[in-house]
């Protein structure tokens, strides 16, 4: 079937290595950021979030870093596994609004 | 429990026809969202419901698109006079009233010939 990741930037990593996926956002008023994982044929799945009053948040094998000065967000995945292969999107919200704005995705390919 | 479900999973229609896409949110979730995702792009916000009312419909591209949620649960996205450019995956998500985590359904792939 069609790939969600068609024409997206691609990051290829060896299984077991760490992955870093980057995202630039444009709205300086955004105060809440989310990373989503989307596998082919499925809807996006929440991974981790961070509020603008933080610069780092850790989950299970994942860490999100936020640099508000340069409006940059990154997702770090430790010990990348084949099941991590998917398209990853950063997303943002602002001012208490529920509308989520998604950024351009990155396709992560894990090489066994 | 059951997640967000969407029907149909695929819909093929002809230019100019009318289509309805259905979303069943997670039970108890008061907030419901519709997004559209074109190939190779991130989801694009269309409309957000809180209960029965549309709290934000700023993403609807034009008046051919309309969505309802009459009983505050199931929602239907309606597209009139479909155009080839409407072809995309239409995603639905739900969340608790003020929840930040949105739970997405698998989407409906709409193809307009």
């Amino acid at each position: 079937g069609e790939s969600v990741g068609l024409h997206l930037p691609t990051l290829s990593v060896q299984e077991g290595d760490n992955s870093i996926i980057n995202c630039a956002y444009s709205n300086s008023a955004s105060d809440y950021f989310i990373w989503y994982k989307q596998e082919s044929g499925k809807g996006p799945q929440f991974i981790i979030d961070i509020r603008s009053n933080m610069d780092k948040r850790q989950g299970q094998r994942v860490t999100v870093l936020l640099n508000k000065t340069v409006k940059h967000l990154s997702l770090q995945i430790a010990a990348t596994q084949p099941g991590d292969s998917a398209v990853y999107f950063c997303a943002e919200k602002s001012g208490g609004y529920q509308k989520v704005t998604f950024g351009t995705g990155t396709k992560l390919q894990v090489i066994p | 429990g059951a997640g967000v479900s969407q029907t149909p999973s695929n819909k093929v229609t002809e230019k100019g026809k009318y289509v309805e896409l259905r979303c069943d949110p997670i039970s108890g979730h008061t907030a419901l969202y519709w997004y559209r995702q074109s190939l190779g792009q991130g989801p694009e916000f269309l409309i957000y419901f809180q209960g029965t009312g549309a709290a934000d419909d700023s993403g609807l591209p034009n008046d051919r698109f309309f969505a309802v949620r009459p009983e505050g649960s199931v929602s239907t996205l309606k597209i009139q006079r479909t155009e080839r450019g409407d072809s995309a995956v239409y995603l639905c998500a739900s969340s608790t009233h003020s929840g930040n985590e949105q739970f997405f359904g698998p989407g409906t792939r709409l193809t307009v010939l």
Side-chain angles (χ1 to χ4, degrees):
Chain A
E2 290 181 72
S3 168
V4 167
L6 192 64
H7 303 311
L8 288 170
T10 299
L11 174 66
S12 297
V13 298
Q14 205 72 36
E15 181 179 356
D17 287 352
N18 296 335
S19 302
I20 300 177
I21 300 172
N22 296 302
C23 174
Y25 65 94
S26 57
N27 186 359
S28 56
S30 293
D31 56 10
Y32 178 73
F33 303 88
I34 317 116
W35 278 100
Y36 285 94
K37 172 186 180 183
Q38 188 173 25
E39 296 173 287
S40 188
K42 297 184 179 180
Q45 177 187 4
F46 175 95
I47 301 174
I48 191 168
D49 58 2
I50 189 168
R51 296 195 176 279
S52 60
N53 60 355
M54 303 171 69
D55 53 21
K56 180 179 180 178
R57 188 164 188 223
Q58 289 184 292
Q60 187 176 13
R61 281 201 310 120
V62 294
T63 300
V64 55
L65 299 178
L66 174 63
N67 184 330
K68 293 182 291 294
T69 302
V70 296
K71 291 187 281 189
H72 183 268
L73 196 67
S74 69
L75 176 70
Q76 300 177 1
I77 304 174
T80 313
Q81 303 170 359
D84 295 327
S85 293
V87 176
Y88 290 80
F89 292 99
C90 64
E92 59 190 290
K93 290 169 61 176
S94 64
Y97 293 103
Q98 291 297 95
K99 171 182 175 179
V100 173
T101 301
F102 283 78
T104 304
T106 297
K107 183 177 182 179
L108 176 64
Q109 289 183 330
V110 182
I111 305 165
Chain B
V4 177
S5 62
Q6 293 185 245
T7 54
S9 55
N10 281 283
K11 176 70 177 178
V12 180
T13 191
E14 294 179 342
K15 180 176 179 293
K17 299 290 188 181
Y18 167 83
V19 297
E20 290 190 349
L21 312 179
R22 176 187 167 109
C23 172
D24 282 82
I26 292 172
S27 178
H29 279 188
T30 58
L32 185 146
Y33 314 79
W34 284 99
Y35 294 84
R36 178 169 68 175
Q37 186 172 28
S38 300
L39 190 62
Q41 304 292 320
E44 173 190 5
F45 172 83
L46 295 177
I47 186 170
Y48 150 58
F49 287 90
Q50 189 64 260
T52 60
D56 183 350
D57 65 356
S58 62
L60 294 177
N62 52 59
D63 61 6
R64 295 188 297 105
F65 288 75
F66 190 71
V68 295
R69 195 185 185 200
E71 298 178 356
S73 178
V74 170
S75 176
T76 304
L77 178 66
K78 308 180 181 192
I79 310 174
Q80 299 177 318
R81 305 183 303 279
T82 52
E83 300 178 356
R84 293 194 180 89
D86 298 335
S87 297
V89 174
Y90 288 81
L91 294 162
C92 176
S94 70
S95 74
T96 57
H97 176 80
S98 57
N100 283 315
E101 184 173 351
Q102 297 181 19
F103 296 83
F104 282 82
T108 293
R109 182 176 300 280
L110 175 66
T111 302
V112 182
L113 301 177

